[in-house]
Coordinates of all heavy atoms in Angstrom, one line a residue:
T102 N -16.9 -100.1 54.2 CA -17.0 -100.5 52.8 C -16.3 -99.5 51.9 O -16.0 -99.8 50.7 CB -18.5 -100.6 52.4 OG1 -19.1 -99.3 52.7 CG2 -19.2 -101.7 53.2
D103 N -16.0 -98.3 52.4 CA -15.2 -97.4 51.6 C -14.1 -96.8 52.4 O -14.2 -95.8 53.1 CB -16.1 -96.2 51.1 CG -15.4 -95.2 50.3 OD1 -14.3 -95.5 49.8 OD2 -15.9 -94.1 50.1
S104 N -12.9 -97.5 52.4 CA -11.8 -97.2 53.2 C -10.9 -96.1 52.6 O -10.0 -95.7 53.3 CB -11.0 -98.4 53.5 OG -10.5 -98.9 52.3
R105 N -11.2 -95.6 51.5 CA -10.4 -94.6 50.8 C -10.1 -93.4 51.7 O -9.1 -92.8 51.7 CB -10.9 -94.2 49.5 CG -10.8 -95.3 48.4 CD -11.5 -94.8 47.2 NE -13.0 -94.6 47.5 CZ -13.9 -94.1 46.7 NH1 -13.5 -93.8 45.5 NH2 -15.1 -94.0 47.0
N106 N -11.2 -92.9 52.4 CA -11.0 -91.7 53.2 C -10.7 -92.0 54.7 O -10.7 -91.1 55.5 CB -12.3 -90.9 53.2 CG -12.6 -90.5 51.7 OD1 -11.7 -90.2 51.0 ND2 -13.9 -90.5 51.4
L107 N -10.5 -93.3 55.0 CA -10.2 -93.7 56.4 C -9.1 -92.9 57.1 O -9.2 -92.6 58.2 CB -9.9 -95.2 56.4 CG -9.8 -95.8 57.8 CD1 -11.1 -95.9 58.5 CD2 -9.2 -97.2 57.6
L108 N -8.1 -92.6 56.3 CA -6.9 -92.0 56.9 C -6.8 -90.5 56.7 O -5.8 -89.9 57.0 CB -5.6 -92.7 56.4 CG -5.5 -94.2 56.6 CD1 -4.3 -94.7 55.9 CD2 -5.6 -94.5 58.1
D109 N -7.8 -89.9 56.1 CA -7.8 -88.4 55.8 C -7.4 -87.5 57.0 O -6.6 -86.6 56.8 CB -9.1 -88.0 55.2 CG -9.2 -88.4 53.7 OD1 -8.2 -88.9 53.2 OD2 -10.3 -88.1 53.2
S110 N -8.0 -87.8 58.1 CA -7.7 -86.9 59.3 C -6.9 -87.6 60.3 O -6.9 -87.2 61.5 CB -9.1 -86.4 59.9 OG -9.8 -87.5 60.3
V111 N -6.1 -88.5 59.9 CA -5.3 -89.3 60.8 C -3.8 -89.1 60.6 O -3.4 -89.0 59.4 CB -5.6 -90.8 60.7 CG1 -4.7 -91.7 61.5 CG2 -7.1 -91.1 61.0
D112 N -3.0 -89.0 61.6 CA -1.5 -89.0 61.5 C -1.1 -90.4 61.2 O -1.1 -91.3 62.1 CB -0.9 -88.5 62.8 CG 0.6 -88.5 62.8 OD1 1.2 -89.2 62.0 OD2 1.2 -87.8 63.7
V113 N -0.8 -90.7 60.0 CA -0.6 -92.1 59.5 C 0.6 -92.7 60.2 O 0.6 -93.9 60.6 CB -0.4 -92.2 58.0 CG1 0.0 -93.6 57.5 CG2 -1.7 -91.7 57.3
R114 N 1.7 -91.9 60.4 CA 2.9 -92.5 61.1 C 2.5 -92.9 62.5 O 2.9 -93.9 63.0 CB 4.0 -91.5 61.0 CG 4.7 -91.5 59.7 CD 5.9 -90.6 59.6 NE 6.4 -90.5 58.3 CZ 5.9 -89.9 57.3 NH1 4.8 -89.2 57.4 NH2 6.5 -89.9 56.1
E115 N 1.8 -92.0 63.2 CA 1.4 -92.3 64.6 C 0.5 -93.6 64.7 O 0.7 -94.5 65.5 CB 0.7 -91.2 65.3 CG 0.2 -91.4 66.7 CD 1.3 -91.8 67.7 OE1 2.4 -91.4 67.5 OE2 0.9 -92.5 68.7
L116 N -0.4 -93.7 63.7 CA -1.3 -94.8 63.6 C -0.5 -96.1 63.4 O -0.7 -97.1 64.1 CB -2.3 -94.6 62.5 CG -3.2 -95.8 62.2 CD1 -4.0 -96.3 63.4 CD2 -4.1 -95.5 61.0
L117 N 0.5 -96.0 62.5 CA 1.3 -97.2 62.2 C 2.2 -97.6 63.4 O 2.5 -98.8 63.6 CB 2.1 -97.0 60.9 CG 1.3 -97.0 59.7 CD1 2.1 -96.7 58.4 CD2 0.6 -98.3 59.5
I118 N 2.7 -96.6 64.1 CA 3.5 -96.9 65.3 C 2.6 -97.6 66.4 O 3.1 -98.6 66.9 CB 4.1 -95.6 65.9 CG1 5.2 -95.1 65.0 CG2 4.6 -95.8 67.4 CD1 5.6 -93.7 65.3
R119 N 1.4 -97.2 66.6 CA 0.5 -97.8 67.5 C 0.2 -99.2 67.0 O 0.1 -100.2 67.8 CB -0.8 -97.0 67.7 CG -0.6 -95.7 68.4 CD -1.9 -95.0 68.6 NE -1.7 -93.7 69.1 CZ -2.6 -92.9 69.7 NH1 -3.9 -93.4 69.7 NH2 -2.4 -91.8 70.2
Y120 N -0.1 -99.3 65.7 CA -0.4 -100.6 65.1 C 0.8 -101.6 65.3 O 0.6 -102.8 65.6 CB -0.7 -100.4 63.6 CG -1.0 -101.7 62.8 CD1 -2.2 -102.2 62.8 CD2 0.1 -102.3 62.1 CE1 -2.4 -103.4 62.0 CE2 -0.1 -103.4 61.4 CZ -1.4 -104.0 61.3 OH -1.6 -105.1 60.6
A121 N 2.0 -101.1 65.1 CA 3.2 -102.0 65.3 C 3.3 -102.5 66.7 O 3.7 -103.7 66.9 CB 4.5 -101.2 64.9
R122 N 3.0 -101.7 67.7 CA 3.0 -102.1 69.1 C 1.9 -103.2 69.3 O 2.1 -104.2 70.0 CB 2.7 -100.9 70.0 CG 3.9 -100.0 70.2 CD 3.6 -99.0 71.3 NE 4.4 -97.8 71.0 CZ 4.0 -96.6 70.9 NH1 2.7 -96.3 71.0 NH2 4.8 -95.6 70.7
W123 N 0.8 -103.0 68.7 CA -0.3 -104.0 68.8 C 0.1 -105.3 68.1 O -0.1 -106.4 68.7 CB -1.6 -103.4 68.1 CG -2.8 -104.2 68.2 CD1 -3.1 -105.2 69.1 CD2 -4.0 -104.0 67.4 NE1 -4.4 -105.6 68.9 CE2 -5.0 -104.9 67.9 CE3 -4.4 -103.1 66.4 CZ2 -6.3 -105.0 67.3 CZ3 -5.6 -103.2 65.8 CH2 -6.6 -104.1 66.3
T124 N 0.8 -105.2 67.0 CA 1.3 -106.4 66.3 C 2.2 -107.1 67.2 O 2.2 -108.4 67.3 CB 2.0 -106.0 65.0 OG1 1.0 -105.3 64.2 CG2 2.5 -107.2 64.2
A125 N 3.2 -106.4 67.8 CA 4.2 -107.0 68.7 C 3.5 -107.7 69.8 O 4.0 -108.8 70.2 CB 5.2 -106.0 69.1
S126 N 2.5 -107.2 70.4 CA 1.8 -107.8 71.5 C 1.1 -109.1 71.1 O 1.1 -110.0 71.9 CB 0.8 -106.8 72.1 OG 1.4 -105.6 72.6
L127 N 0.5 -109.0 69.9 CA -0.1 -110.3 69.5 C 0.9 -111.3 69.1 O 0.7 -112.5 69.4 CB -1.0 -109.9 68.2 CG -2.3 -109.1 68.5 CD1 -2.9 -108.7 67.2 CD2 -3.2 -110.0 69.4

Side-chain angles (χ1 to χ4, degrees):
T102 56
D103 181 16
S104 62
R105 289 173 298 174
N106 301 323
L107 183 72
L108 302 177
D109 280 356
S110 61
V111 173
D112 178 341
V113 175
R114 282 182 184 75
E115 176 62 25
L116 174 59
L117 289 175
I118 288 167
R119 291 180 187 199
Y120 175 88
R122 287 188 203 125
W123 188 15
T124 303
S126 298
L127 289 171

